[in-house]
């Protein structure tokens, strides 16, 4: 097992030898056996090829437009938003044993993530019109969640969402965790054992977010003598690892914090439990922050 600290829970940009990789998280540097993640850039006219082998894979366009060709199909003009702060995403899910090439129609950035899977699901293009938007929480815990590959998505293991937290607000709050697989007497999944990636973008270059990661007595790492209690400073293009424990986020006043969440583990689920010391906060909300959604969204896409 690994002792996680404020230093090794965050992966900074430029940690990969490929100059087109903005930042990379691997099972080796994350200390887990699940998620591989890269944020990549491509100049217009350039391409990137990859073999998914025994992994299912998702591509999320952060900005720009690409064409994707593969042995499982071809998709033209994927993307369109200039950056994550101006519109909803395009994404593409691809099953194991896909050989693919991403070709940049414009200068672009995209995230690619993969996790081992034996299931052969069909490829799925997720256009902005198919992305449901949830306004979650309330008061200074109001945030926007774009459901790209939510629980129930036709894949084996991946869950992918985007989250926007306006300045002065909190997200992933009250603190919640998903580090033990728990099923109740009726067979309902109460908590899944999930590893998680937070890939950050801040709407101004000098901005940052704060994220606390802490385990409790039920967390396997703490039981094994490797507790976590760390506060991480997350800046633009940083990856924060959530191997276990509660993990709330604070967005400083004046800055909108974006993060792309990738989760994988014991179930294709977001089943989690709140820290019982803070769960009462959910009953205190008086209103929703009018700053979300942070860009225009069709009313029919906003979940009630």
């Amino acid at each position: 097992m690994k002792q996680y600290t404020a230093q090794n829970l965050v992966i900074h940009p430029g940690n990969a030898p490929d100059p087109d990789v903005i930042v990379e998280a691997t099972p080796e540097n994350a200390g887990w056996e699940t998620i591989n993640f890269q944020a990549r850039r491509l100049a217009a006219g350039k391409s990137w090829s990859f073999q998914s082998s025994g992994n299912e894979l998702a591509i999320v366009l952060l900005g720009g437009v690409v064409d994707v060709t593969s042995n499982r199909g071809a998709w033209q003009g994927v993307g369109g938003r200039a950056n994550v702060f101006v519109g909803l995403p395009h994404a593409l899910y691809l099953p194991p044993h896909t050989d693919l090439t991403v070709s940049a129609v414009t200068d672009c950035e995209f995230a690619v993530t993969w996790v081992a899977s034996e299931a052969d699901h069909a490829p799925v293009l997720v256009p902005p019109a198919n992305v449901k938007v949830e306004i979650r929480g309330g008061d200074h815990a109001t945030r926007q969640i774009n459901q790209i590959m939510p629980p129930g998505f036709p894949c084996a293991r991946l869950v992918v969402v985007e989250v926007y937290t306006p300045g002065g607000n909190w997200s992933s709050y009250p603190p919640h965790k998903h580090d033990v697989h728990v099923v109740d007497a009726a067979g309902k999944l109460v908590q899944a054992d999930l590893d998680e990636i937070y890939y950050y973008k801040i709407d101004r270059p000098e901005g940052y977010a704060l994220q606390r990661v802490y385990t409790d007595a039920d967390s396997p790492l703490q039981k094994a003598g490797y507790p976590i209690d760390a506060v991480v400073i997350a800046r633009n293009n940083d990856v924060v690892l959530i191997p276990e424990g509660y993990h709330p986020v604070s967005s400083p006043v004046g800055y909108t914090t974006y993060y792309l969440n990738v989760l994988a583990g014991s179930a294709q689920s977001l089943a989690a439990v709140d820290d019982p010391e803070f769960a009462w906060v959910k009953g205190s909300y008086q209103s929703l922050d009018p700053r979300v959604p942070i860009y225009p969204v069709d009313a029919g896409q906003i979940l009630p």
Side-chain angles (χ1 to χ4, degrees):
M1 288 185 169
K2 182 173 182 176
Q3 181 63 68
Y4 291 96
T5 66
Q7 288 69 46
N8 63 21
L9 283 168
V10 60
I11 301 174
H12 300 297
N15 70 319
D18 184 343
D20 288 336
V21 175
I22 300 168
V23 66
E24 178 178 48
T26 66
E28 291 74 26
N29 64 21
W32 57 40
E33 298 179 353
T34 51
I35 302 167
N36 295 268
F37 177 89
Q38 293 180 343
R40 303 187 66 95
R41 61 172 65 90
L42 273 181
K46 300 295 185 179
S47 62
W48 169 72
S49 296
F50 186 74
Q51 296 178 325
S52 70
S53 301
N55 301 282
E56 62 179 5
L57 176 145
I59 296 170
V60 178
L61 267 294
L62 304 169
V65 180
V66 302
D67 294 334
V68 181
T69 57
S70 78
N71 61 326
R72 298 299 298 265
W75 299 266
Q76 307 297 310
V78 180
R81 62 181 177 180
N83 60 68
V84 299
F85 295 102
V86 299
L88 293 167
H90 282 78
L92 179 62
Y93 168 78
L94 294 168
H97 308 296
T98 299
D99 300 338
L100 65 131
T101 297
V102 177
S103 300
V105 177
T106 67
D107 291 350
C108 66
E109 291 186 1
F110 61 92
V112 57
T113 186
W114 62 97
V115 63
S117 170
E118 297 179 357
D120 186 25
H121 291 273
V124 180
L125 176 67
V126 182
N130 290 0
V131 176
K132 295 297 184 182
V133 175
E134 179 185 358
I135 307 304
R136 188 177 297 175
D139 298 339
H140 289 296
T142 307
R143 60 274 198 190
Q144 172 184 340
I145 293 90
N146 295 341
Q147 298 189 355
I148 300 171
M149 293 173 54
F153 186 91
C155 68
R157 302 181 69 194
L158 285 169
V159 175
V160 182
V161 301
E162 294 180 320
V163 180
Y164 297 84
T165 310
N169 284 12
W170 288 71
S171 56
S172 295
Y173 194 88
H176 69 266
K177 74 171 189 125
H178 36 72
D179 56 21
V180 182
H181 192 86
V182 179
V183 178
D184 67 15
K188 179 183 176 182
L189 182 63
V190 176
Q191 180 184 175
D193 180 7
L194 303 171
D195 296 324
E196 183 171 10
I197 289 283
Y198 276 64
Y199 171 63
Y200 280 88
K201 293 278 194 183
I202 313 295
D203 66 341
R204 293 174 60 93
E206 75 278 11
Y208 63 92
L210 299 175
Q211 185 160 26
R212 185 184 179 199
V213 184
Y214 64 101
T215 53
D216 67 3
D218 293 329
S219 297
L221 281 171
Q222 185 155 324
K223 286 183 175 181
Y226 297 91
I228 306 171
D229 193 355
V231 177
V232 174
I233 300 173
R235 296 184 170 87
N236 203 45
N237 291 318
D238 278 346
V239 165
V240 174
L241 307 170
I242 310 298
E244 288 186 15
Y246 304 100
H247 42 277
V249 175
S250 177
S251 182
V253 172
Y255 297 84
T256 299
T257 297
Y258 162 97
Y259 49 81
L260 178 67
N261 280 150
V262 178
L263 304 96
S266 65
Q268 204 269 335
S269 171
L270 287 173
V273 295
D274 293 334
D275 185 334
E277 291 191 0
F278 298 96
W280 67 268
V281 172
K282 284 183 174 178
S284 72
Y285 301 144
Q286 300 296 311
S287 63
L288 294 175
D289 190 322
R291 292 177 292 175
V292 295
I294 69 161
Y295 42 71
V297 174
D298 186 278
Q301 293 178 248
I302 298 178
L303 294 171

